[in-house]
Amino acid sequence: MDYVRGALLALAVFWALQLVGSLYQMRRYREAVQDAARRCHSGFLGVGSCKVRLGRGAVAIVVLSADMRVCQFLSMSGFTVFTRFQPHPGFEELSMEAFVERLHRAKLRGSIVQAAIDALERAHRAADAPPGQAPRATEAPA
């Protein structure tokens, strides 16, 4: 009986740790999106993701200015809740086409490249949406 009680206690502790870690990660995500939106407030923000079965997935934030140039590119990739968004300053002020070309030439993980392209497409859709109407939400590619 002590074995079952100990196993249930361990399960409860790990579940609580997962909950706290998830809340911590969601706070960091929200702060990164808000900071990106404040930095280029007259532009369009896109968030993309790349999910993988095994290995590191990625989340990317791309902010486009009103003239469709990249204002900011951030990415987060890793296994733990302690991963932070990393800025990529070499991609700023690029056109959308130049951004995609530089992404493919850069030595970034493939999941980051896919997430960044997804984020760029979402930001572009936001720019193309009629004024006052949010772009239609679509599911991120698996």
Side-chain angles (χ1 to χ4, degrees), residues 30-40 72 74:
R30 185 178 61 247
E31 289 172 356
V33 169
Q34 288 172 347
D35 288 344
R38 269 189 293 245
R39 182 161 184 233
C40 194
Q72 188 174 27
L74 304 168

Side-chain angles (χ1 to χ4, degrees), residues 1-41:
M1 194 62 164
D2 286 334
Y3 175 73
V4 173
R5 189 176 313 159
L8 287 175
L9 179 64
L11 180 66
V13 167
F14 286 121
W15 186 52
L17 286 174
Q18 180 182 7
L19 179 67
V20 170
S22 296
L23 292 173
Y24 187 69
Q25 190 172 36
M26 286 175 25
R27 187 182 75 193
R28 278 202 179 146
Y29 173 80
R30 185 178 61 247
E31 289 172 356
V33 169
Q34 288 172 347
D35 288 344
R38 269 189 293 245
R39 182 161 184 233
C40 194
H41 53 79

Side-chain angles (χ1 to χ4, degrees), residues 3 7-8 56 90-91 112:
Y3 175 73
L8 287 175
R56 297 180 188 179
F91 290 87
I112 294 175

Side-chain angles (χ1 to χ4, degrees), residues 1-141:
M1 194 62 164
D2 286 334
Y3 175 73
V4 173
R5 189 176 313 159
L8 287 175
L9 179 64
L11 180 66
V13 167
F14 286 121
W15 186 52
L17 286 174
Q18 180 182 7
L19 179 67
V20 170
S22 296
L23 292 173
Y24 187 69
Q25 190 172 36
M26 286 175 25
R27 187 182 75 193
R28 278 202 179 146
Y29 173 80
R30 185 178 61 247
E31 289 172 356
V33 169
Q34 288 172 347
D35 288 344
R38 269 189 293 245
R39 182 161 184 233
C40 194
H41 53 79
S42 64
F44 307 96
L45 185 137
V47 178
S49 65
C50 177
K51 300 172 189 167
V52 295
R53 288 185 190 255
L54 295 173
R56 297 180 188 179
V59 176
I61 299 173
V62 174
V63 182
L64 293 177
S65 63
D67 62 349
M68 305 309 281
R69 292 187 133 357
V70 175
C71 286
Q72 188 174 27
F73 168 40
L74 304 168
S75 70
M76 178 175 67
S77 175
F79 291 113
T80 70
V81 296
F82 302 111
T83 305
R84 296 180 182 261
F85 275 95
Q86 302 296 318
H88 300 279
F91 290 87
E92 294 175 357
E93 297 301 320
L94 294 175
S95 67
M96 291 173 43
E97 296 80 18
F99 177 78
V100 172
E101 286 177 23
R102 187 165 296 176
L103 269 177
H104 290 297
R105 285 196 325 255
K107 295 184 180 190
L108 296 172
R109 185 174 291 110
S111 59
I112 294 175
V113 172
Q114 287 179 348
I117 291 172
D118 184 33
L120 181 67
E121 290 171 356
R122 290 171 188 263
H124 189 253
R125 275 197 307 264
D128 288 343
Q133 182 181 359
R136 189 173 147 255
T138 58
E139 189 173 315

